[in-house]
Amino acid sequence: MSVRVVGADRFRVVGRRLRTAADRKELTRELRKGILDAVPALKDAVRADAAGYLPDRYAAELVPSLRMTTSSSLAGDQVTVRISVTGKGAKGNARQVGDVEGGTLRHPVFGRTRPLRRHALHKATSQVNPWVTQAVRPGFVTKPMLAKRSAVRAEIEAAVDRVLDKITGA
Protein backbone atom coordinates (compact mmCIF):
# COMPACT_ATOMS: atom_id res chain seq x y z
CA MET A 1 0.00 0.00 0.00
CA SER A 2 1.36 3.40 -0.90
CA VAL A 3 0.08 6.57 0.70
CA ARG A 4 0.97 9.95 -0.73
CA VAL A 5 1.62 12.56 1.92
CA VAL A 6 0.58 16.12 1.14
CA GLY A 7 3.18 18.62 2.29
CA ALA A 8 6.11 16.40 1.38
CA ASP A 9 8.20 19.50 0.71
CA ARG A 10 8.84 19.72 4.46
CA PHE A 11 10.34 16.23 4.36
CA ARG A 12 12.70 17.39 1.63
CA VAL A 13 13.71 20.42 3.69
CA VAL A 14 14.36 18.22 6.73
CA GLY A 15 16.35 15.76 4.61
CA ARG A 16 18.58 18.50 3.22
CA ARG A 17 19.10 20.22 6.55
CA LEU A 18 19.79 16.97 8.40
CA ARG A 19 22.72 16.28 6.09
CA THR A 20 24.46 19.47 7.22
CA ALA A 21 23.31 19.55 10.86
CA ALA A 22 25.99 19.15 13.54
CA ASP A 23 24.01 16.66 15.66
CA ARG A 24 22.67 14.79 12.66
CA LYS A 25 22.52 11.33 14.25
CA GLU A 26 20.57 12.53 17.26
CA LEU A 27 18.08 14.49 15.14
CA THR A 28 17.65 11.57 12.73
CA ARG A 29 17.01 9.26 15.68
CA GLU A 30 14.40 11.69 17.03
CA LEU A 31 12.68 11.98 13.67
CA ARG A 32 12.60 8.21 13.21
CA LYS A 33 11.23 7.76 16.75
CA GLY A 34 8.50 10.32 16.04
CA ILE A 35 7.55 8.50 12.86
CA LEU A 36 7.53 5.06 14.47
CA ASP A 37 5.54 6.30 17.48
CA ALA A 38 2.70 7.22 15.11
CA VAL A 39 2.48 3.75 13.54
CA PRO A 40 0.84 1.74 16.39
CA ALA A 41 -2.44 3.54 15.69
CA LEU A 42 -2.46 1.88 12.25
CA LYS A 43 -1.74 -1.55 13.70
CA ASP A 44 -4.45 -1.18 16.33
CA ALA A 45 -6.95 -0.13 13.66
CA VAL A 46 -6.27 -3.30 11.65
CA ARG A 47 -6.73 -5.52 14.71
CA ALA A 48 -9.92 -3.72 15.78
CA ASP A 49 -11.60 -3.77 12.36
CA ALA A 50 -10.67 -7.30 11.22
CA ALA A 51 -13.94 -8.78 12.50
CA GLY A 52 -15.88 -6.54 10.11
CA TYR A 53 -14.05 -8.00 7.10
CA LEU A 54 -13.66 -11.67 8.04
CA PRO A 55 -15.87 -14.49 9.33
CA ASP A 56 -16.07 -14.32 13.15
CA ARG A 57 -14.31 -17.60 13.89
CA TYR A 58 -11.50 -16.88 11.44
CA ALA A 59 -11.03 -13.33 12.71
CA ALA A 60 -10.68 -14.74 16.23
CA GLU A 61 -7.92 -17.06 14.94
CA LEU A 62 -6.15 -14.60 12.62
CA VAL A 63 -5.95 -11.43 14.71
CA PRO A 64 -3.83 -12.90 17.55
CA SER A 65 -1.46 -14.50 15.03
CA LEU A 66 -0.84 -11.30 13.04
CA ARG A 67 2.68 -9.90 13.16
CA MET A 68 3.09 -6.36 11.91
CA THR A 69 6.68 -5.24 11.53
CA THR A 70 7.63 -1.66 10.81
CA SER A 71 10.64 -0.32 8.98
CA SER A 72 11.44 3.26 8.08
CA SER A 73 13.87 4.95 5.76
CA LEU A 74 15.01 8.55 5.67
CA ALA A 75 17.10 8.17 2.52
CA GLY A 76 17.39 11.12 0.18
CA ASP A 77 14.43 13.46 0.09
CA GLN A 78 11.88 10.83 1.07
CA VAL A 79 10.58 9.47 4.32
CA THR A 80 9.32 5.92 3.86
CA VAL A 81 7.44 3.84 6.42
CA ARG A 82 6.69 0.23 5.53
CA ILE A 83 4.42 -2.05 7.54
CA SER A 84 4.63 -5.76 6.70
CA VAL A 85 1.73 -7.92 7.85
CA THR A 86 2.26 -11.66 8.29
CA GLY A 87 0.65 -14.43 10.31
CA LYS A 88 1.30 -18.00 11.36
CA GLY A 89 -1.22 -20.76 11.83
CA ALA A 90 -1.53 -23.15 14.75
CA LYS A 91 0.92 -25.62 13.20
CA GLY A 92 3.44 -22.92 12.29
CA ASN A 93 2.42 -22.62 8.64
CA ALA A 94 2.29 -19.15 7.12
CA ARG A 95 -1.18 -17.71 6.73
CA GLN A 96 -2.08 -16.30 3.32
CA VAL A 97 -2.59 -12.72 4.51
CA GLY A 98 -2.19 -11.30 0.99
CA ASP A 99 -4.95 -13.52 -0.38
CA VAL A 100 -7.27 -12.63 2.50
CA GLU A 101 -6.48 -8.94 1.92
CA GLY A 102 -7.50 -9.46 -1.71
CA GLY A 103 -10.82 -11.03 -0.73
CA THR A 104 -10.13 -14.77 -0.91
CA LEU A 105 -10.11 -17.05 2.13
CA ARG A 106 -9.11 -20.68 1.60
CA HIS A 107 -9.90 -23.16 4.37
CA PRO A 108 -10.80 -26.81 4.93
CA VAL A 109 -14.42 -27.78 5.38
CA PHE A 110 -14.85 -28.32 9.11
CA GLY A 111 -15.88 -31.76 10.33
CA ARG A 112 -15.91 -33.54 6.99
CA THR A 113 -13.69 -36.49 6.23
CA ARG A 114 -13.95 -39.04 3.50
CA PRO A 115 -13.21 -42.73 3.93
CA LEU A 116 -10.22 -44.17 2.10
CA ARG A 117 -8.98 -47.66 1.66
CA ARG A 118 -6.21 -48.47 4.02
CA HIS A 119 -3.15 -46.60 2.79
CA ALA A 120 0.07 -48.57 3.22
CA LEU A 121 2.34 -45.58 3.69
CA HIS A 122 0.32 -43.53 6.17
CA LYS A 123 -1.85 -46.29 7.68
CA ALA A 124 -4.79 -43.94 7.32
CA THR A 125 -8.40 -44.89 6.90
CA SER A 126 -9.73 -41.39 6.36
CA GLN A 127 -8.54 -38.13 4.86
CA VAL A 128 -9.59 -34.57 5.56
CA ASN A 129 -11.94 -33.33 2.90
CA PRO A 130 -10.87 -30.77 0.33
CA TRP A 131 -10.32 -27.13 0.98
CA VAL A 132 -12.80 -24.53 -0.18
CA THR A 133 -12.39 -20.97 -1.33
CA GLN A 134 -14.64 -18.41 0.30
CA ALA A 135 -15.08 -14.81 -0.79
CA VAL A 136 -14.56 -12.28 2.01
CA ARG A 137 -14.69 -8.52 2.06
CA PRO A 138 -11.35 -7.32 0.64
CA GLY A 139 -9.10 -4.76 2.32
CA PHE A 140 -8.98 -5.87 5.94
CA VAL A 141 -5.51 -4.27 6.24
CA THR A 142 -5.55 -1.32 3.84
CA LYS A 143 -8.98 0.13 4.59
CA PRO A 144 -8.48 0.58 8.38
CA MET A 145 -5.00 1.99 7.70
CA LEU A 146 -6.37 4.47 5.18
CA ALA A 147 -9.05 5.50 7.67
CA LYS A 148 -6.37 6.36 10.27
CA ARG A 149 -4.07 7.98 7.72
CA SER A 150 -4.86 11.61 8.57
CA ALA A 151 -4.20 11.20 12.31
CA VAL A 152 -0.91 9.40 11.67
CA ARG A 153 0.10 11.98 9.09
CA ALA A 154 -0.51 14.76 11.64
CA GLU A 155 1.74 13.00 14.17
CA ILE A 156 4.51 12.52 11.60
CA GLU A 157 4.28 16.14 10.51
CA ALA A 158 4.50 17.23 14.16
CA ALA A 159 7.70 15.17 14.50
CA VAL A 160 9.09 16.79 11.36
CA ASP A 161 8.24 20.25 12.70
CA ARG A 162 9.98 19.50 16.01
CA VAL A 163 13.13 18.42 14.21
CA LEU A 164 12.99 21.45 11.91
CA ASP A 165 12.67 23.74 14.93
CA LYS A 166 15.72 22.14 16.52
CA ILE A 167 17.72 22.46 13.31
CA THR A 168 16.88 26.14 12.83
CA GLY A 169 17.33 26.83 16.55
CA ALA A 170 13.86 28.30 17.03
Side-chain angles (χ1 to χ4, degrees), residues 116-153:
L116 295 175
R117 287 189 206 156
R118 191 142 182 95
H119 190 275
L121 181 62
H122 300 292
K123 308 281 193 253
T125 57
S126 66
Q127 178 180 350
V128 176
N129 237 11
W131 289 53
V132 295
T133 302
Q134 178 179 351
V136 295
R137 194 170 145 205
F140 90 99
V141 173
T142 54
K143 289 180 182 177
M145 284 189 181
L146 289 174
K148 289 283 187 184
R149 173 177 55 189
S150 60
V152 171
R153 183 186 315 153

Side-chain angles (χ1 to χ4, degrees), residues 50-148:
Y53 292 88
L54 305 170
D56 293 338
R57 290 179 64 190
Y58 187 70
E61 288 288 322
L62 179 67
V63 170
S65 73
L66 285 179
R67 299 291 174 255
M68 295 183 234
T69 55
T70 306
S71 62
S72 66
S73 172
L74 303 173
D77 292 342
Q78 286 187 325
V79 176
T80 304
V81 178
R82 177 171 288 133
I83 301 173
S84 300
V85 182
T86 59
K88 287 201 174 191
K91 295 180 181 178
N93 298 328
R95 294 191 185 269
Q96 303 299 319
V97 177
D99 291 345
V100 176
E101 169 69 17
T104 304
L105 173 61
R106 189 172 169 268
H107 62 89
V109 178
F110 179 73
R112 289 182 57 195
T113 58
R114 58 183 171 171
L116 295 175
R117 287 189 206 156
R118 191 142 182 95
H119 190 275
L121 181 62
H122 300 292
K123 308 281 193 253
T125 57
S126 66
Q127 178 180 350
V128 176
N129 237 11
W131 289 53
V132 295
T133 302
Q134 178 179 351
V136 295
R137 194 170 145 205
F140 90 99
V141 173
T142 54
K143 289 180 182 177
M145 284 189 181
L146 289 174
K148 289 283 187 184

